[in-house]
Amino acid sequence: TSHLSTISLRDRHLADLSRTVGERSHHIFFPFLGGSDDKVALRIVLLLSKNSNVTATILHVRKDSSTGAVQEIGKVATADDDSKPKTTIAEESQDQDITFLHSLRDSLPNTMSERVIFTEISTSQSSSKAVMETVIEFAKSEVNQSPRNAGDLVVVGRHHDESNAYSEVAKALGGLAEGVLGGVRCSVLVVQAAGGSVRGRKESNVDEIRFAR
């Protein structure tokens, strides 16, 4: 009887310890669509992931150039780009984003690579709405999967196609953040790179981070 009692107490202690660790864990979901905001956001996600209680999924949403309708979301051609087709500009920008993403992925230490998952989807959809719907569906499958943890977080870049940013939320946080807030039950971290603007206000010295729930 004493032996059985000892095992019972030990098992209960291990269960309590496991539950405590589980409640301290966080999961981060980050859709990488490209652009300066997403590059800063990716660095922040990896910085947060240095904590051993944090896991992360980084989804690279890659535009399929075979459709001939590739355009980086939020990409606006300048006067100097008039001589190049928009598809060429977008492809060059996407190549730079891919190189940046892969360089950080490949430089992760083994202790982090076990907790930080990089995955990729390719889409031929050129509309921002279709891309947003893809991101939201993926986010739903990533967050809130462990009800007893300390909370999950979705990180998004600020500037992703603001052509239809009519609501105050979209104007302040960006269209992608608005879509995530409306479709996923979680905290959202919005990141804007230095030099971006929010409703006409220019930020030139620091990166901007905004939390929303």
Side-chain angles (χ1 to χ4, degrees), residues 64-81:
D64 186 359
S65 61
S66 63
T67 63
V70 176
Q71 178 74 26
E72 179 192 346
I73 294 182
K75 176 70 177 180
V76 179
T78 63
D80 295 334
D81 296 328

Side-chain angles (χ1 to χ4, degrees), residues 1-73:
T1 303
S2 176
H3 179 64
L4 292 175
S5 177
T6 301
I7 293 176
S8 177
L9 289 173
R10 184 183 299 128
D11 289 346
R12 184 182 303 172
H13 173 71
L14 291 175
D16 291 342
L17 179 61
S18 176
R19 182 164 56 250
T20 300
V21 172
E23 290 171 351
R24 291 168 54 193
S25 66
H26 300 269
H27 184 66
I28 300 173
F29 172 67
F30 169 53
F32 182 88
L33 280 68
S36 57
D37 291 349
D38 278 13
K39 289 178 181 178
V40 174
L42 176 57
R43 290 187 180 277
I44 291 174
V45 170
L46 296 181
L47 181 63
L48 294 173
S49 299
K50 288 184 176 181
N51 188 309
S52 60
N53 292 320
V54 175
T55 59
T57 297
I58 297 167
L59 174 67
H60 179 203
V61 183
R62 187 168 182 172
K63 290 80 173 178
D64 186 359
S65 61
S66 63
T67 63
V70 176
Q71 178 74 26
E72 179 192 346
I73 294 182

Side-chain angles (χ1 to χ4, degrees), residues 40 44 172 190-194 198 201 203 206-210:
V40 174
I44 291 174
V190 184
V191 179
Q192 175 178 297
V198 178
R201 178 167 55 85
E203 297 287 350
V206 297
D207 298 322
E208 181 165 325
I209 301 174
R210 295 186 172 199

Side-chain angles (χ1 to χ4, degrees), residues 15 23 35 70 73 77 82 108 114 119-120 153 167-168 180 198 206:
E23 290 171 351
V70 176
I73 294 182
D82 289 343
L108 287 183
E114 297 174 354
T119 187
E120 179 180 295
L153 178 67
S167 72
E168 290 301 313
V180 172
V198 178
V206 297

